[in-house]
Amino acid sequence: KDPLLLRAARGEAVERVPVWMMRQAGRHMQEYRDLIKKYPTFRERSEIHEVSTEISLQPYRRYGTDGVILFSDILTPLPGMGVDFKIEEKTGPKLVPMRTWESVNAMHTIDSEKACPFVGQTLRDLKKEVGSNATVLGFVGCPYTLATYMVEGGSSREYLEIKKMMFTEPELLHAMLAKIADSIGDYGIYQIESGAQVIQVFDSWAGHLSPKDYDVFAAPYQKKVIQKIKSSHPEVPIIIYINKSGALLERMSQSGADIISLDWTVTIEEARKRIGNDIGIQGNLDPAALFAPNEVIKERTEEILRACGGRNHVMNLGHGIEATTSEEKAEFFINTVKNFRF
Ligand code: CP3
């Protein structure tokens, strides 16, 4: 029998609502913080397959989550396209900013098995380890969000460099986005063929675009990635996530994804009205709610479960779990969902 989350993601009737947490593998867990002492850089932790497998399994063992997400990053496939990066513990990703035709022309198509064999190995090991007790999730970054890191050279607050490129050299940005889409589609397929049963696509920063620019620079490239994956694996559910996406729900429902991962800025009732009944929902508890007293966590969580009605729903947070969340609160949230019945 297929695992619960996979069946729910396909829209089948299920015995209870499945649950996992975005960014569940990582900073909020003591075991992870202990591992940092032995493997100080993010690239080691995510690119030595034994280590990334172990980290991926930590929240599964601790909480019994229904989803086990690959411990990796959206930037992980970039070296396979000729784009190097570093992750600094304090400030996050660092890249040499790409703002010229020369830098875009130097990008090449990924050979995923050659560039990221550790991703394939981790997914194979995760699948073997969890069997039908949990669903293995792979993930990719969407072209616009990846391009923000490549053009800005790292994280950004206002995204001015990529927006300057968008307004002054749109063809250059399109060339970059098209190249990324091509490789990311292949990389998603590689994850599925290695064991990922569901793929989440993150266009985290596309919510910072005006609707007009979103339609030109984000949406078409999300669709390219999703269509490429669907054309070889139509049966694999795809979840789409965008941060601060309240204004974009109708657009997200046209992306080709099977499930929209909602942030906490919309109610389930409003989201349903706007996306219709043919698409699944993931989410959408505010990660900050995990700092509330247990009664409040329970009340807010059950409110979401009831509003979704137990069909076409994967319970989750509205964004990644905060690093300072206690493991007891995370555990309480997971158990609240697992114990809930209609
Ligand atoms: O948060 C999102 O919107 C999800 C999409 C996303 C990921 N990485 C997925 C991810 C984004 C936007 C990134 C970029 C990135 N990479 C950041 C954010 C910086 C910014 O601009 O705000 C950071 C800090 C990294 C580096 C990174 N990625 C670290 C240090 C870690 C491990 C520890 C942790 O929890 O922060 C990651 C893990 C990571 N990034 C996962 C995913 C899906 C792994 C799965 C998981 O942790 O459960």
Side-chain angles (χ1 to χ4, degrees):
K1 196 171 179 187
D2 284 329
L4 178 70
L5 191 151
L6 177 58
R7 286 182 280 121
R10 285 197 206 113
E12 295 173 21
V14 282
E15 50 282 20
R16 67 167 173 83
V17 177
V19 59
W20 67 288
M21 298 176 290
M22 284 190 267
R23 300 292 280 267
Q24 65 187 12
R27 304 160 303 171
H28 89 283
M29 295 193 73
Q30 185 60 47
E31 278 185 286
Y32 174 80
R33 295 194 297 267
D34 291 342
L35 258 182
I36 294 183
K37 293 173 197 142
K38 210 163 153 202
Y39 304 98
T41 68
F42 176 76
R43 293 218 35 195
E44 290 168 274
R45 297 193 293 280
S46 56
E47 298 182 15
I48 301 172
H49 73 86
E50 294 90 344
V51 183
S52 67
T53 300
E54 170 60 25
I55 297 172
S56 306
L57 290 169
Q58 287 174 347
Y60 168 69
R61 294 198 187 111
R62 174 80 170 81
Y63 309 124
T65 51
D66 297 302
V68 174
I69 187 158
L70 167 71
F71 184 76
S72 182
D73 195 70
I74 57 170
L75 304 177
T76 299
L78 295 189
M81 304 174 215
V83 177
D84 202 17
F85 74 93
K86 277 199 302 217
I87 302 264
E88 287 173 2
E89 288 309 308
K90 291 273 173 320
T91 51
K94 286 279 170 292
L95 298 82
V96 176
M98 295 173 60
R99 298 173 192 167
T100 61
W101 277 103
E102 204 181 2
S103 60
V104 173
N105 289 337
M107 290 173 68
H108 53 76
T109 313
I110 197 167
D111 175 339
S112 298
E113 171 62 29
K114 229 181 181 167
C116 306
F118 45 87
V119 165
Q121 192 58 48
T122 296
L123 289 165
R124 282 190 291 277
D125 291 345
L126 290 176
K127 181 85 179 297
K128 209 186 294 166
E129 178 73 23
V130 306
S132 59
N133 294 320
T135 299
V136 175
L137 294 111
F139 70 92
V140 301
C142 286
Y144 178 75
T145 291
L146 289 173
T148 66
Y149 289 99
M150 290 159 59
V151 178
E152 303 286 337
S155 298
S156 178
R157 201 177 267 242
E158 299 300 339
Y159 306 97
L160 272 184
E161 293 301 331
I162 193 167
K163 289 190 181 189
K164 278 188 221 164
M165 186 185 284
M166 189 172 90
F167 284 114
T168 60
E169 285 190 281
E171 292 316 318
L172 176 56
L173 183 55
H174 278 300
M176 184 185 290
L177 293 166
K179 281 193 157 183
I180 301 171
D182 206 27
S183 285
I184 291 297
D186 278 351
Y187 180 60
I189 293 168
Y190 174 68
Q191 291 188 14
I192 293 169
E193 294 176 351
S194 304
Q197 295 162 294
V198 172
I199 296 285
Q200 179 147 335
V201 303
F202 287 98
D203 214 350
S204 300
W205 313 137
H208 208 271
L209 289 168
S210 73
K212 199 167 181 163
D213 297 319
Y214 178 92
D215 288 342
V216 174
F217 295 97
Y221 298 99
Q222 291 162 5
K223 284 182 195 159
K224 269 198 182 141
V225 169
I226 293 171
Q227 275 165 10
K228 190 158 183 177
I229 297 173
K230 284 278 178 194
S231 67
S232 50
H233 296 282
E235 76 292 354
V236 173
I238 296 183
I239 306 172
I240 186 166
Y241 177 80
I242 300 177
N243 192 226
K244 305 286 152 42
S245 60
L248 295 168
L249 297 185
E250 293 80 0
R251 285 179 164 80
M252 287 168 87
S253 72
Q254 301 303 308
S255 65
D258 304 284
I259 297 179
I260 297 184
S261 192
L262 298 174
D263 69 23
W264 60 90
T265 60
V266 286
T267 63
I268 300 294
E269 291 82 355
E270 186 198 339
R272 260 290 163 240
K273 266 191 222 137
R274 292 172 51 196
I275 66 179
N277 290 321
D278 298 334
I279 192 157
I281 287 179
Q282 176 171 271
N284 72 340
L285 186 71
D286 182 347
L290 297 188
F291 294 87
N294 286 353
E295 326 67 274
V296 178
I297 298 177
K298 184 163 190 281
E299 184 188 309
R300 296 288 184 98
T301 300
E302 292 188 345
E303 203 171 273
I304 293 167
L305 291 168
R306 279 199 195 89
C308 284
R311 193 77 190 253
N312 251 324
H313 182 210
V314 174
M315 187 68 199
N316 206 320
L317 305 173
H319 197 195
I321 185 168
E322 286 292 336
T324 53
T325 309
S326 81
E327 293 179 33
E328 288 69 31
K329 294 289 183 182
E331 181 178 30
F332 182 81
F333 164 67
I334 299 288
N335 284 337
T336 300
V337 182
K338 292 176 81 171
N339 293 330
F340 180 84
R341 294 291 181 281
F342 284 92

